[in-house]
Amino acid sequence: MEFIKDKSLHLKQRNLMDNLFFLKTVEDKEAAEELIQLLICNKKVKIIENQSNKSLINIENRSVALDLYCVDEEGKEYNIEVQRTKKDNAEEPTKRMRYNISMMDTHTIEKGIKAKDLPEIYGIMISEFDPFGEGRLRYEIKRKIENSGKKTDNGIHEIYVFTRGKGDSDLKELVEFFENSNGYNEKFPKLSKRVMYLKEDEKGMNEYLLTEEEFLAWAEKEGLKKGMKEGLKEGRKEGRKEGRKEGRKEGEQNTIKAVIINLL
């Protein structure tokens, strides 16, 4: 791992809003379970399956990679996403939520499950931006009939957590830990112990850094492939050798930069 001169300093700068560090942290089932319990305010949840970076592909070959996918002992499904920045579309967080949940439903239906037996799904997004502009720590979207206000439930739970929102609960302490992920916290001991293992234990540090090194190698390879393809296309369009050279270079740099910004 020659690209890391000081492992401890490098890892101290990592936090749970860094996608790659989040993925590695929630590989641990107990840490993932504790996180879900805090986010949905239910300490009785027992997780029996958890996968980070879970890939779902439907019959039309459309795919999505879920940051964290879990199933509890009652068959309820959970998806947690971390997102630093807001995309161009102002409604993107809710559209992304809808897309992820629809892919989870499709994945379930393809197993032969009937509509009436669809499991409850919790879609949870943790972001450094306020998705609805009200300054709240936690938003939960619920269905209701417009005229009467009567609540109706289709088994979908949408929760958005704003790390810089106002609040004085244990959840506030948790989201602050997402942005400053250092030390032990007795309110979420399993999650904080897992973070400490990856940041302070020699074995844990090497485990994470190997993941990071493998990712960077993959990102460079993918960037080169895409850069060469885009460079050749641009070169043909311009009809000049210089066009191919610049196109390749720009393609490589832009692809690698975009992937790394999104995942590190």
Side-chain angles (χ1 to χ4, degrees):
M1 301 172 196
E2 297 178 357
F3 69 100
I4 301 297
K5 291 183 178 179
D6 188 330
K7 291 188 289 188
S8 180
L9 178 61
H10 176 76
L11 282 162
K12 190 174 182 179
Q13 296 168 345
R14 293 275 146 306
N15 64 47
L16 288 168
M17 290 306 297
D18 296 321
N19 195 273
L20 199 61
F21 190 77
F22 175 79
L23 296 180
K24 195 64 184 174
T25 299
V26 295
E27 281 182 4
D28 181 83
K29 187 162 68 176
E30 290 188 345
E33 179 180 270
E34 186 174 72
L35 176 59
I36 288 171
Q37 290 174 345
L38 289 163
L39 290 171
I40 71 169
C41 306
N42 183 357
K43 293 193 175 183
K44 293 182 179 180
V45 171
K46 297 298 179 186
I47 297 301
I48 60 172
E49 176 188 348
N50 70 300
Q51 294 184 53
S52 62
N53 203 28
K54 165 81 169 178
S55 180
L56 297 178
I57 303 173
N58 66 16
I59 55 176
E60 294 183 350
N61 256 351
R62 295 187 180 276
S63 65
V64 65
L66 305 178
D67 287 351
L68 174 62
Y69 170 81
C70 294
V71 181
D72 72 13
E73 61 185 4
E74 295 180 2
K76 296 175 183 177
E77 299 181 6
Y78 303 84
N79 167 223
I80 299 178
E81 300 288 314
V82 293
Q83 189 169 334
R84 280 194 177 280
T85 59
K86 198 169 186 177
K87 307 301 181 183
D88 295 335
N89 187 339
E91 294 183 335
E92 192 274 338
T94 56
K95 294 293 180 66
R96 181 180 177 186
M97 179 80 76
R98 176 183 170 185
Y99 185 80
N100 286 359
I101 290 173
S102 68
M103 288 292 288
M104 291 168 73
D105 271 340
T106 301
H107 182 68
T108 301
I109 291 170
E110 287 175 355
K111 295 178 180 178
I113 301 296
K114 295 181 179 179
K116 67 181 180 67
D117 297 320
L118 285 172
E120 283 190 58
I121 292 179
Y122 285 81
I124 304 167
M125 180 174 289
I126 303 170
S127 65
E128 289 183 337
F129 61 87
D130 189 343
F132 302 107
E134 296 183 4
R136 298 175 186 272
L137 178 64
R138 184 180 186 272
Y139 300 91
E140 184 166 0
I141 310 302
K142 295 187 176 181
R143 291 165 55 91
K144 67 178 182 178
I145 300 171
E146 185 174 352
N147 294 329
S148 67
K150 181 180 179 181
K151 293 180 180 179
T152 177
D153 181 17
N154 65 353
I156 299 296
H157 307 269
E158 287 186 47
I159 298 170
Y160 301 82
V161 178
F162 172 37
T163 58
R164 297 167 193 178
K166 296 178 181 178
D168 295 313
S169 63
D170 290 349
L171 180 59
K172 181 62 177 176
E173 210 165 318
L174 173 67
V175 296
E176 288 176 347
F177 185 70
F178 261 70
E179 293 194 323
N180 182 20
S181 308
N182 292 292
Y184 174 78
N185 191 305
E186 62 182 10
K187 291 183 179 178
F188 32 91
K190 295 172 184 176
L191 180 65
S192 57
K193 278 184 179 179
R194 172 65 176 174
V195 168
M196 289 177 68
Y197 168 72
L198 294 174
K199 286 192 166 196
E200 300 176 15
D201 184 277
E202 187 70 20
K203 183 179 178 182
M205 287 193 288
N206 290 337
E207 187 179 320
Y208 172 74
L209 291 172
L210 179 61
T211 300
E212 192 172 274
E213 187 173 31
E214 289 173 345
F215 164 72
L216 290 170
W218 170 84
E220 183 176 4
K221 181 180 178 182
E222 291 300 304
L224 287 170
K225 283 165 61 178
K226 186 173 181 180
M228 289 178 67
K229 183 177 179 181
E230 292 179 355
L232 290 170
K233 182 178 179 181
E234 182 66 20
R236 285 194 297 270
K237 182 179 177 181
E238 297 294 330
R240 297 193 302 269
K241 183 177 180 180
E242 187 63 23
R244 289 195 297 272
K245 180 180 178 182
E246 291 302 315
R248 283 196 299 271
K249 182 179 179 181
E250 184 177 354
E252 293 167 16
Q253 292 174 341
N254 288 345
T255 303
I256 296 171
K257 181 179 178 182
V259 176
I260 292 175
I261 286 175
N262 281 329
L263 287 178
L264 289 183

